[in-house]
Every structure is written in structure tokens, then in C-alpha cells.
Amino acid sequence: MDGEYLFCKFQLKTFKFFSLMKKYFTKEDFIDMMLILSVLKVETTCFNADGSVKRLRYVFCVDDDITSAFYAMYIYYLVYTTYNYYPFLVCVGGRGMLSKFTNEKGESEGMKLKRVCLGLGAREEDITVLDSGTNTGKNCLEVYQFLAKKPGRSCFCLTTRLSKRWERTWVFLPKQYKEVDSYTFEMVNQAGIEYYVPSETADDMLQVYNGKGLASGVMLLGEVASIYNRCKFKENITQAPLEFEVPKDVVEAYNRLSRKYPLKIKIGCFNGLWQYAYAFCCVMFYRPWIKSDSIRAVKHVKTQFNKEFGLHL
């Protein structure tokens, strides 16, 4: 009798858990996510009116998602085929919460991006790694210090979800850090700051190699939920204010997502803790798959480049 009671109690708890989980990772959540990203993103500016790529001296890839390296290498080859010279590649990123578990031992995000660029045929002498930053502000500061020495037209190749945070942090840099000289910063901007932010679908973002396709997409939903939060609560602290009023439906979508996915907003609450545990367990369990999927993705991009640019990678 006691055994039957305990079994029934276990079944009830299991049923309650799965009933609770049905409230998360819904189709409506991903619709809210795409709505937020359709507004809180930076538009691509690195092309001329006739569709040709602008002359660039530097091409930047940033953060722990190697998708940024794929974008940077596309622009790298596009500049070469258009103007018959290779721009310099700059790989930016220190050691983040996710990357220290998914990268090779001792490998920073910048070093990983460099490894991917080399795998896609970049010349090693063209690549610089900036990997002392620990957050977006520090990464922007390191980029500024690099460009202040030899300014030139630069293109930031960013994922959709990073683009607005990076752009607002970059604009605010002289006010956040006393090391940034306003006159020099203006000279860097006058040399040219461009963006390459291709349109991305939910499927594009939910990849195994970047970890966002694991744990039912909780890391992606949590990251997108935090974009407007940072714009709102970090305004004039680490980010410049938004240059437009955010539509009401986007704010409502943020409110829904931020309550359900506080992973990057308030990790200490119940939802934040179980989502962190869920994401961490998935990343640790699937680490071999993440690495093998990275290799698969690089091979796929190689094939695309070979077709588009007539290469033999």
C-alpha cells in the first residue's frame, strides 16, 4: 500500500512538472522573440547604393558565436573579389560563461573565432585577436584602443541579437570609460564604422554549435529577453539611449519573455535558477556534439564560399 502511494505521488509530481514545462518554449514565445529582434537590431550599412561592398580596412567578428566569423569571412572574400585586396580580420572576445565550457582548453572567444577564420581560408597575417575583454563594454574599449592607433573604415559583422547592444555600447563608450578620448573616438568614427547584420530566422539562430539549439532554446530566449532590459535599465550607464521609441507590441513581447526567461536578467529567482541548471546540464552533456557540429558548420560554409567565390577551400 505504501509503495502504491509513493508511486502515485511520484506520478503526480511528474505530471505537474511536465504540465509546468508546457507553459515554456511555446510557439508564441518564439514569435515574441522574433518580434523583439525585428525592431531591436542594427541595419546593415556596409554596402554602396549599387549593392557593392564598401572599401574596408578592418572586418570584425565578435563574441562566442562562430556565426559572426562566418559573416566576417563572407565580407572578407567579398572585399577581395571586388577590390583585389584582403582587409584585416579582427577577432574579438574574452572568456564568457558558455565559451569556457565549449571552447578548447585555454581558448578565448577571439582565439576560437580566429581558428574558424583560418579554417575558412583566411591568411594568418591578416588576423588580430583582441581577447582581454570580459563584457561588451570592455570588448568595445579594446576595439577602440586598437583602431585609435591606425584608424580605417571598419565593419562589425554581428549576429542579430548582439547588434543593438554592441552599437549602443559603442556609441556610449566615451562616457563610460575615461580612457576614451572624445576627439580620437570621433576620428575613429569618421574613418568609417559599418555594420553587417544579415537577417536571421529562429532556425538560423537555434544551432547546436552555438549552444542556442540546446535546452529547448532557453539560452536564446533568455538572451533576447534581456535586450530591451539592457536598453531600458542600462541607459546612460553602459549604453546610449535608443534613438527611437520602442513600439508597444515589442514592449509587451519583452514583458512576457522577461517574466518567463529571466536567465540573463535575474538569475537568482526560481525561473532563472532552473533554467540555468537546465542549460548548464545540456551544454555539459552535449559538449562533444557542439564541437562536431562546429566542424560540420565550417564545412558547410566552405562549400558555400567555394560556389559563390570560385574558391578551392
Side-chain angles (χ1 to χ4, degrees):
M1 189 71 178
D2 288 343
E4 289 180 7
Y5 170 74
L6 290 172
F7 180 69
C8 289
K9 192 173 181 182
F10 171 75
Q11 281 187 315
L12 181 61
K13 286 186 176 180
T14 304
F15 174 75
K16 285 181 177 178
F17 174 74
F18 283 108
S19 296
L20 174 69
M21 288 294 283
K22 285 180 182 178
K23 298 177 183 177
Y24 295 88
F25 317 116
T26 64
K27 179 181 177 182
E28 289 72 23
D29 292 339
F30 288 99
I31 291 172
D32 282 343
M33 179 189 81
M34 294 308 295
L35 175 60
I36 292 170
L37 290 175
S38 70
V39 174
L40 297 179
K41 61 169 282 190
V42 174
E43 298 299 325
T44 292
T45 61
C46 65
F47 295 105
N48 296 308
D50 63 359
S52 61
V53 69
K54 294 179 180 178
R55 286 183 176 272
L56 301 168
R57 183 173 189 179
Y58 302 107
V59 177
F60 288 81
C61 48
V62 183
D63 217 7
D64 64 343
D65 191 341
I66 61 173
T67 303
S68 181
F70 298 158
Y71 294 164
M73 286 303 298
Y74 175 74
I75 297 298
Y76 178 80
Y77 284 123
L78 203 57
V79 169
Y80 176 73
T81 55
T82 305
Y83 300 109
N84 200 33
Y85 75 89
Y86 288 111
F88 294 108
L89 282 164
V90 187
C91 304
V92 183
R95 289 171 175 79
M97 186 184 297
L98 177 65
S99 61
K100 64 184 177 184
F101 296 110
T102 57
N103 292 5
E104 299 295 333
K105 187 175 181 181
E107 184 181 56
S108 66
E109 293 167 2
M111 292 163 65
K112 181 178 182 178
L113 293 170
K114 176 182 176 179
R115 175 162 55 83
V116 171
C117 290
L118 288 172
L120 290 171
R123 304 185 307 177
E124 186 156 13
E125 61 267 28
D126 292 337
I127 303 176
T128 300
V129 174
L130 304 178
D131 61 358
S132 65
T134 53
N135 54 45
T136 305
K138 293 289 187 182
N139 286 339
C140 283
L141 177 62
E142 193 171 16
V143 168
Y144 157 76
Q145 291 169 336
F146 171 80
L147 289 176
K149 297 172 185 175
K150 288 185 178 180
R153 186 179 293 278
S154 305
C155 180
F156 296 127
C157 301
L158 307 173
T159 58
T160 305
R161 62 188 184 278
L162 174 63
S163 62
K164 182 54 70 175
R165 170 162 47 108
W166 179 274
E167 184 261 347
R168 291 290 86 194
T169 303
W170 176 261
V171 170
F172 196 69
L173 207 60
K175 296 181 180 178
Q176 186 180 1
Y177 295 104
K178 61 182 180 182
E179 301 99 304
V180 179
D181 176 72
S182 297
Y183 176 76
T184 307
F185 184 71
E186 184 60 29
M187 292 293 290
V188 167
N189 283 314
Q190 284 182 3
I193 296 295
E194 310 294 346
Y195 287 89
Y196 180 56
V197 186
S199 297
E200 296 174 332
T201 65
D203 286 340
D204 291 333
M205 291 179 272
L206 289 164
Q207 299 291 333
V208 173
Y209 66 73
N210 63 10
K212 308 306 179 188
L214 301 175
S216 306
V218 69
M219 287 183 281
L220 179 60
L221 289 163
E223 187 173 350
V224 174
S226 73
I227 295 174
Y228 180 67
N229 178 272
R230 293 185 190 211
C231 290
K232 184 178 179 182
F233 296 105
K234 298 294 184 179
E235 181 180 297
N236 289 320
I237 300 173
T238 62
Q239 293 187 186
L242 290 171
E243 65 275 42
F244 58 87
E245 186 175 347
V246 179
K248 184 180 178 182
D249 57 344
V250 175
V251 176
E252 290 171 350
Y254 154 74
N255 287 333
R256 289 189 293 268
L257 277 193
S258 62
R259 284 194 297 268
K260 292 176 74 172
Y261 306 102
L263 186 58
K264 297 198 77 172
I265 300 172
K266 191 179 179 183
I267 197 173
C269 64
F270 175 74
N271 274 352
L273 288 171
W274 77 256
Q275 287 170 15
Y276 177 82
Y278 182 31
F280 180 77
C281 289
C282 285
V283 167
M284 297 303 289
F285 184 79
Y286 290 113
R287 269 198 295 182
W289 188 18
I290 292 172
K291 291 182 179 180
S292 64
D293 195 54
S294 297
I295 295 170
R296 175 206 60 78
V298 170
K299 287 181 178 178
H300 176 69
V301 173
K302 271 186 183 180
T303 302
Q304 290 181 314
F305 286 174
N306 286 339
K307 288 180 180 178
E308 183 160 352
F309 299 112
L311 304 173
H312 301 282
L313 299 175

